[in-house]
Amino acid sequence: MILCCGESLIDMVPENGMYRPLPGGSVYNTAIALGRLGAQTSYLWPLSQDAFGDMLRGPLEEAGVDLSLSPSSHRPTTLALVFLNNGNATYSFYDDGTAGRMFESAALPALPEELGALFIGGISLIQDPCGGAVEEIAHRASESGKVVSVDLNIRPGLVNDERAIRERYSRLLHIADIVKISDEDAAWLFPDAAPGDTAARLLDLGPKLILRTHGSDGSTAIHASGSFNHPARKVEVADTIGAGDTFNAGILTSLAETGSLSKDGLDAITEEYIRAALELAARAAAITVSRPGANPPWRRELD
């Protein structure tokens, strides 16, 4: 089972001069995509009792995601105003005192016995107290011998204490097994390094598999056994909301299906399995960007 721990929110997406509320959040989107792709998935994050909280629960339940670990909260749901420029999305977040933002380590449940991998990332790593809770569960998973997958998905505009956040990322990168990093993430995390050098620096920290995404130029997987490039699928882009989140789900689903989603499995992973994971991720992400909002595909849409 893959446990996703991280933010859910409502994306206020521009539409005909107005804003349309849509369920979203980086880790939330990945959980939805995993469920739709057929992976056994659980989600951990406080969900509000307000109407937006109900809006968030619906797609998770429809995708077969287990919500038994997600507490119900009287606090409001986080909102994100989306701004689109030629299909590329930027965000302004409103989350002071919200259900997710106020998630604390003391509220963490015990790790499920059937846990195989933990997925974390997004703005939930930047804000506190929720960032401390996510880091804590990552350490617990790592100490239990489970795979920890991190999508950095850094939002520099939300970083108030850069030193503290850099220290958190450093601690997480030392326990992570899979790390997804965009070109923008790499530039922020390693401002003194050439883009091509960042993967090697990350591998030196301990991760077994590094995933670099390059937008329309595709993606690259870097492993101790080599570097493997994969092109993006050519589609008419509606917007990029949820593209990276779907990519994460494609990678994790494929690794689980080939028996590679374990520490030993990642050590011994073959080029065939790495390329299969990149292909599923690319196919799924292409469908997501071809339609508005974070709307990842069901597995049947890939057959």
Side-chain angles (χ1 to χ4, degrees), residues 53-247:
D54 292 339
M55 187 181 295
L56 288 165
R57 289 183 183 86
L60 288 165
E61 293 169 345
E62 184 184 17
V65 176
D66 178 16
L67 296 181
S68 61
L69 297 178
S70 293
S72 179
S73 172
H74 68 278
R75 296 181 180 275
T77 300
T78 298
L79 301 181
L81 262 63
V82 182
F83 302 91
L84 298 176
N85 183 10
N86 294 323
N88 294 309
T90 57
Y91 304 82
S92 290
F93 296 94
Y94 297 84
D95 72 339
D96 285 348
T98 60
R101 173 72 175 273
M102 302 311 294
F103 190 33
E104 297 183 346
S105 297
L108 288 171
L111 292 175
E113 292 185 6
E114 64 272 28
L115 178 67
L118 172 72
F119 174 79
I120 61 174
I123 65 171
S124 52
L125 292 178
I126 297 174
Q127 308 285 36
D128 279 314
C130 63
V134 177
E135 182 180 355
E136 172 64 22
I137 198 169
H139 282 284
R140 293 184 190 178
S142 177
E143 291 165 1
S144 300
K146 310 304 182 184
V147 167
V148 176
S149 179
V150 181
D151 180 0
L152 297 179
N153 201 5
I154 300 167
R155 307 286 185 188
L158 292 178
V159 176
N160 294 320
D161 187 339
E162 184 170 323
R163 179 179 177 181
I165 297 305
R166 286 186 180 277
E167 289 175 351
R168 173 170 291 159
Y169 281 130
S170 178
R171 292 190 296 269
L172 288 171
L173 291 173
H174 277 87
I175 65 170
D177 300 288
I178 302 171
V179 175
K180 175 177 164 289
I181 182 170
S182 68
D183 292 340
E184 294 79 11
D185 294 333
W188 187 87
L189 196 62
F190 301 116
D192 59 333
D197 297 335
T198 57
R201 291 181 64 167
L202 284 170
L203 283 176
D204 287 343
L205 295 177
K208 303 173 187 297
L209 183 64
I210 308 298
L211 302 164
R212 289 290 302 270
T213 53
H214 318 290
S216 60
D217 292 328
S219 60
T220 304
I222 301 98
H223 185 262
S225 62
S227 179
F228 310 96
N229 299 316
H230 196 85
R233 296 216 162 191
K234 303 301 181 183
V235 296
E236 184 174 345
V237 176
D239 61 52
T240 61
I241 301 172
D245 310 324
T246 304
F247 179 91

